[in-house]
Amino acid sequence: RYPVTPLSSNSGLIGFYPNCENIHEIIQNYRDAHHQILNLEQRLAQQFSPNWDTLTILQKVESFEYALSNTPGNDLQRAMWYKSPNAETWLERRTNYTRSLAVMSIAGYILGLGDRHPSNIMMHIWTGKVVHIDFGDCFELAAHREKFPETVPFRLTRMFIMPMEVSTIEGSFKFTANHTMRVLRANRDSLMAVLEAFVFDPLVSWSFIQENDETANNAKNNGKQQEQQQQRGPKGQTSRNNNQTGFNGADIHMSRWDAATNVSVDVSAVLAGSRPDERGGKSIKFKNEGFEDKGWQTGNPKARAIVKRIHDKLMGTDFDPNTQLTVAEQIEKLIQQATSSENLAVLYVGWVPLW
């Protein structure tokens, strides 16, 4: 645990977590000590396929697997062994590492935590427990990026699997992941009660997600607006139309969430203050009868869609809304997605999928 002290509605202080190193730093120190190239896997992939950006998915997978097959990928495993004073300590740290990685993987999946590159995952040097930092990309925001969307539910690359030793994923990791999901499902009402507060709390603004999308799509929107200005004629009329179409950036993002819930949204009303949407309230089956439809209490449609997505994960209907998976089936599917070469090969290079 580390302290978080809020100073205002949109600022605060995060305390230091002592005696920790991020995974990137651990691997870098290990490779420097053994005179190895830090980005060896990436260099091999580029040598195999110099024109990476123009490759098809199958070609990227072939290049990805070529780099893996020509490198050991045991840097984190060996670093944990060398840093342990004796075998007993190493075994304890390995167990703590495997269990904490499983717990944080499932918890992160439920919250839609993304951007899990090696610099955002730390390890306590005395206990071996995994510590996550940088929770900026929550609620599957990274999975809906326009460029290089994340295609895995959590980070489970080969360099994170090798420290588990002989049992790999099938041992303590899968057992702990199943238990974690089972506990979250059993207490989903309490968890959903906390999350629904984000939907109905008037102090919580979802505009930061919309602003990020507006920035990403700014160039595209400017081009559309210029074309509209040329077609609509008089200067006075054009200025009014610009005010009406200023939400195009948010509209692109809103459509993604609305597609999952079949909710038709008035974007201008949403950005102006979460106007009531009767269809949105009916499409998401939560017990909202206790809330009156008065302005801020109706909730943002995007927030509703996010909460519904988390609700589906806790119910086991996240893969197919018509089929409820058991805990074991759900964990198995998540692990398959997280370790799939097809999913890892298309990720952004800064995520370091080859590690």
Side-chain angles (χ1 to χ4, degrees), residues 231-275:
Q231 295 176 355
R232 292 182 179 177
K235 185 175 181 181
Q237 184 180 357
T238 303
S239 62
R240 290 193 300 270
N241 288 335
N242 283 341
N243 291 332
Q244 294 173 358
T245 59
F247 301 102
N248 286 343
D251 186 46
I252 295 174
H253 188 81
M254 290 295 295
S255 62
R256 298 196 193 106
W257 293 110
D258 302 336
T261 54
N262 295 323
V263 180
S264 178
V265 180
D266 183 351
V267 180
S268 60
V270 171
L271 295 180
S274 301
R275 196 178 70 176

Side-chain angles (χ1 to χ4, degrees), residues 19 35 43 61 67 226 313 347:
N19 303 318
H35 308 288
R43 288 193 181 187
V61 170
Q226 290 176 1
K313 293 177 182 179
L347 291 173

